C-alpha cells in the first residue's frame, strides 16, 4: 500500500501543479530559514535529534 501512495505522490509531483507546489514550498522554506528565530528553532531541533542518538537507554 505504501508503494502505491508513494507512486501517486510521485506522479502528482511530476504534473505542472505539483511542480508549482514544490517550487512554492522550496521558496517558503528558504525564506523561513533566513529568519533568525526560525533558524534557532531548527538548530535546537537538530541538536535534540543528535543528542537522542547517543547514549541513553537501549531500545
Amino acid at each position: 500500500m505504501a508503494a502505491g501512495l508513494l507512486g501517486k505522490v510521485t506522479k502528482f509531483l511530476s504534473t505542472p501543479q505539483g511542480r508549482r507546489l514544490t517550487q512554492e514550498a522550496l521558496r517558503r522554506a528558504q525564506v523561513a530559514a533566513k529568519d533568525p528565530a526560525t533558524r534557532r528553532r531548527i538548530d535546537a531541533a537538530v541538536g535534540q535529534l543528535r543528542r537522542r542518538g547517543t547514549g541513553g537507554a537501549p531500545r
Side-chain angles (χ1 to χ4, degrees):
M1 182 170 175
L5 179 62
L6 185 59
K8 288 179 182 182
V9 170
T10 303
K11 189 174 181 180
F12 170 72
L13 291 177
S14 67
T15 66
Q17 184 180 4
R19 286 193 295 269
R20 278 194 303 273
L21 182 69
T22 303
Q23 289 299 317
E24 179 65 18
L26 287 173
R27 187 188 66 75
R28 287 180 183 220
Q30 288 171 348
V31 169
K34 291 180 183 177
D35 179 34
T38 304
R39 189 74 236 167
R40 281 191 298 273
R41 288 197 322 252
I42 291 170
D43 290 341
V46 168
Q48 286 178 346
L49 289 173
R50 286 187 178 148
R51 283 189 301 275
R52 188 175 180 188
T54 59
R59 295 179 193 209

